Amino acid sequence: MQLTANINYTDVEPFKSYLIQMTTHTDYIAQKAVKTVMEQRVLETHREFMEKLNKG
């Protein structure tokens, strides 16, 4: 079985802006997730620190 792909630049053009939007959106989601995780970690660390202070 042989597969040949005839893709013209004009066929790809309409999808380019869509792909760029999706990539940007994915980056944004990833950044938000990382930020949330880091904030969560900071809160946990702070809480652990406060607990140790209260025990001491």
Side-chain angles (χ1 to χ4, degrees), residues 12 14 16 24 32 39-40 45 47-49 51-52:
V12 179
K16 260 175 55 178
T24 308
K32 258 183 85 168
E39 284 172 353
Q40 197 65 40
T45 306
R47 190 170 55 233
E48 288 166 12
F49 177 71
E51 282 174 4
K52 283 177 188 168

Side-chain angles (χ1 to χ4, degrees), residues 6-52:
N6 294 324
I7 300 169
N8 292 328
Y9 183 71
T10 49
D11 296 335
V12 179
E13 193 58 38
F15 294 105
K16 260 175 55 178
S17 64
Y18 173 73
L19 281 173
I20 290 167
Q21 281 177 355
M22 286 308 292
T23 307
T24 308
H25 188 61
T26 307
D27 284 350
Y28 173 72
I29 290 171
Q31 285 171 8
K32 258 183 85 168
V34 168
K35 188 172 179 253
T36 306
V37 168
M38 287 179 75
E39 284 172 353
Q40 197 65 40
R41 188 67 200 120
V42 167
L43 287 173
E44 283 173 23
T45 306
H46 182 257
R47 190 170 55 233
E48 288 166 12
F49 177 71
M50 293 305 281
E51 282 174 4
K52 283 177 188 168

